[in-house]
Amino acid sequence: MTTETKVKQSVLLDKIQNRTAVIGVVGLGYVGLPLAVEKAKAGFRVIGFDVQEKRVNMVNDGVNFIGDVVDDDLQKIVNEGKLIASVDYSKIKEVDAVMICVPTPLDEYQQPNTSYVESSARSIAAHLHQDMLVVLESTTYPGTTEEIVRPILESSGYEVGKDFYLAYSPERVDPGNKVFKTKNTPKVVGGVTTKCTKIAAALYRSVLEGDVHEVSSPAVAEMEKILENTFRNINIGLANEMAILCHKMGIDVWEVINAAKTKPYGFMAFYPGPGLGGHCIPIDPFYLTWKAREYNYHTRLIEIAGEINNSMPDFVLSRAMQMLNDAQKPLHGSKITVLGVAYKKDIEDMRESPVLPILELLEQNHANVTVVDPHVPRFQLKGRTIETTPLTPELLSASDLVLITTDHTTFDYQMIADHSPMIFDTRNALADVTKIKAIYEKL
């Protein structure tokens, strides 16, 4: 390493330590906006970038659109000039460090779509400068940082580890989590070189309360993120398979799980449900199954868990049809009230919500469906906008079947139990309701 590089590295670290570094965040969604807010609250000047002009305007007006961001925090840092948003990616030349927090969906063939990452990297490469730190946070397959992002950035003529610094630090965002937010969740960082790792870790340590764990490479950091979500995917798949088997055997799977979790070691409770939702758990494991083919390896356990979880909407429909059939009612024409369309409770996030395929199946079978969700006023289903409906005793009483698909805490479960003629509870939401008049079944 030359003396010049040592000096430049120390200048960047000094900027981080004295909060004079300007931070860029590309993508102002569920990951990017909370990260931008925390960096601004820590004293950095932050520029957020997004291709959606409406989203940019909302940030600049101090209008929050992400549940995990506190409204007052956003308004305060915007009013103080600590955070601005822009659709003009040429402003990247003004930043000292930039985090890429863009979507990484799967395409129709269940293969990773890295186009957003590539586009972001090209925008950065066009304005890359000496001593800039670039960190990819988007969840993706092992190798993305060095195989895709690095060549794009180095096409600028700058060399990683010498002229600029590149690292991967996976996002760890759990929408609606009341305990762990961006600020207090531990971080993993892996740089292309040791210098890259140290500088990226220093930036995160200057902002976050959680531990910053350094690993030897971006690929290790990318793989650990996949492991986190694959672990959950597989264990939820096990819980769902147990639910199917327990139903056939006439056993309450919820009681089984509650009994099992009394063991203080060797067991972690996972719960069944109508399917998997969110950006990470239903999608991330398939990044790995795709990458594994490059090494002539078939990830059987991951794919089987995915099959089980993806089959749950069909299982829910089958159970609902059986309940109606037992009451001598056809699904065709029955009034079905679906409680909850978000993928988990107490949030508005509908990404990959398993309720959507359930709604499609109900419609295909000509059910008369009404959707209730206090967190989601409207949503898109196969190109149509559907307005959600307020929950009332009259609505419940007029239903042939009430299907609980998201266990929002704002739902009045006693009212649901008192006024519904028939309930299928996929979330064990009525566990604490002592008196249920309805015909009642749990997943």
Side-chain angles (χ1 to χ4, degrees):
M1 185 193 301
T2 66
T3 303
E4 181 183 12
T5 304
K6 288 181 181 178
V7 172
K8 287 177 178 176
Q9 179 178 323
S10 67
V11 168
L12 180 54
L13 286 173
D14 284 345
K15 284 185 175 182
I16 291 171
Q17 291 161 2
N18 61 28
R19 305 295 199 274
T20 59
V22 179
I23 310 300
V25 177
V26 177
L28 296 174
Y30 287 93
V31 176
L33 186 59
L35 183 64
V37 168
E38 289 302 335
K39 291 186 182 302
K41 285 170 61 179
F44 292 99
R45 186 164 73 87
V46 180
I47 304 175
F49 299 91
D50 203 286
V51 296
Q52 297 183 41
E53 189 168 358
K54 179 181 177 182
R55 184 177 283 184
V56 165
N57 291 338
M58 290 178 73
V59 171
N60 288 331
D61 290 337
V63 178
N64 182 32
F65 50 88
I66 298 295
D68 285 349
V69 172
V70 177
D71 293 353
D72 290 344
D73 286 350
L74 179 61
Q75 291 169 4
K76 184 174 186 292
I77 58 178
V78 168
N79 291 339
E80 292 174 348
K82 292 286 185 65
L83 172 62
I84 64 169
S86 180
V87 294
D88 181 5
Y89 281 70
S90 69
K91 290 182 180 293
I92 287 173
K93 62 179 179 289
E94 300 176 20
V95 308
D96 298 291
V98 58
M99 283 68 198
I100 301 173
C101 306
V102 296
T104 46
L106 296 173
D107 65 18
E108 59 183 317
Y109 304 108
Q110 295 291 83
Q111 298 180 121
N113 176 359
T114 59
S115 62
Y116 299 104
V117 171
E118 294 171 39
S119 176
S120 298
R122 284 193 291 269
S123 295
I124 294 169
H127 305 286
L128 194 69
H129 58 75
Q130 285 278 353
D131 311 317
M132 181 185 283
L133 168 66
V134 180
V135 182
L136 177 61
E137 286 215 3
S138 304
T139 304
T140 185
Y141 61 86
T144 303
T145 302
E146 295 196 74
E147 295 169 9
I148 293 180
V149 178
R150 178 178 180 175
I152 293 173
L153 296 180
E154 289 192 325
S155 69
S156 65
Y158 290 113
E159 182 181 342
V160 70
K162 176 183 176 184
D163 303 308
F164 72 96
Y165 308 98
L166 176 62
Y168 181 79
S169 182
E171 57 88 1
R172 282 176 166 171
V173 174
D174 184 17
N177 193 310
K178 304 301 183 185
V179 177
F180 290 104
K181 306 289 187 181
T182 298
K183 187 173 181 63
N184 66 342
T185 300
K187 262 289 195 178
V188 172
V189 179
V192 174
T193 67
T194 301
K195 292 180 293 183
C196 296
T197 302
K198 297 300 181 185
I199 291 175
L203 178 57
Y204 285 111
R205 289 191 179 106
S206 69
V207 174
L208 307 179
E209 293 175 351
D211 177 51
V212 177
H213 181 80
E214 299 177 20
V215 295
S216 59
S217 69
V220 171
E222 290 160 341
M223 181 63 94
E224 82 78 22
K225 173 62 174 176
I226 298 295
L227 175 59
E228 289 178 29
N229 290 331
T230 302
F231 172 81
R232 295 172 68 186
N233 182 292
I234 288 173
N235 280 282
I236 293 170
L238 174 61
N240 281 329
E241 188 162 58
M242 288 293 291
I244 295 169
L245 181 58
C246 282
H247 170 65
K248 291 179 179 294
M249 298 178 70
I251 298 171
D252 185 339
V253 70
W254 305 95
E255 186 178 1
V256 171
I257 295 170
N258 286 336
K261 73 179 186 180
T262 62
K263 185 178 182 181
Y265 56 89
F267 182 82
M268 179 181 293
F270 287 84
Y271 298 94
L276 282 182
H279 171 68
C280 290
I281 302 176
I283 294 177
D284 296 358
F286 290 101
Y287 300 150
L288 190 58
T289 61
W290 175 82
K291 186 66 175 178
R293 297 186 196 120
E294 184 179 321
Y295 298 88
N296 196 30
Y297 187 77
H298 186 58
T299 52
R300 292 165 291 175
L301 185 59
I302 296 173
E303 294 182 32
I304 290 171
E307 289 175 11
I308 294 169
N309 293 328
N310 290 337
S311 74
M312 291 308 290
D314 290 293
F315 180 65
V316 169
L317 179 73
S318 175
R319 291 282 304 276
M321 291 177 70
Q322 187 61 55
M323 289 182 69
L324 289 166
N325 186 62
D326 290 344
Q328 300 182 349
K329 294 183 178 182
L331 179 58
H332 188 130
S334 287
K335 296 179 180 178
I336 312 296
T337 296
V338 176
L339 301 185
V341 72
Y343 84 84
K344 62 184 283 192
K345 69 179 181 180
D346 301 340
I347 63 172
E348 78 290 348
D349 194 347
M350 290 182 52
R351 291 176 296 174
E352 305 297 323
S353 173
V355 185
L356 298 179
I358 291 172
L359 293 176
E360 290 183 18
L361 289 168
L362 289 171
E363 287 196 349
Q364 288 168 15
N365 285 273
H366 309 289
N368 184 355
V369 181
T370 300
V371 181
V372 178
D373 195 312
H375 296 274
V376 183
R378 64 191 58 81
F379 63 96
Q380 296 290 313
L381 182 67
K382 300 189 74 173
R384 295 180 291 114
T385 299
I386 295 179
E387 303 278 343
T388 57
T389 302
L391 181 63
T392 64
E394 293 76 19
L395 174 65
L396 295 168
S397 298
S399 303
D400 293 303
L401 173 67
V402 173
L403 180 59
I404 302 175
T405 44
T406 312
D407 50 338
H408 293 309
T409 55
T410 52
F411 283 145
D412 185 338
Y413 291 107
Q414 187 61 63
M415 182 181 78
I416 293 167
D418 289 343
H419 295 279
S420 304
M422 187 184 300
I423 302 170
F424 181 29
D425 183 358
T426 70
R427 299 287 190 175
N428 199 27
L430 271 60
D432 296 328
V433 176
T434 55
K435 187 176 181 180
I436 302 174
K437 299 178 183 178
I439 297 170
Y440 177 64
E441 289 190 20
K442 295 185 287 186
L443 189 67

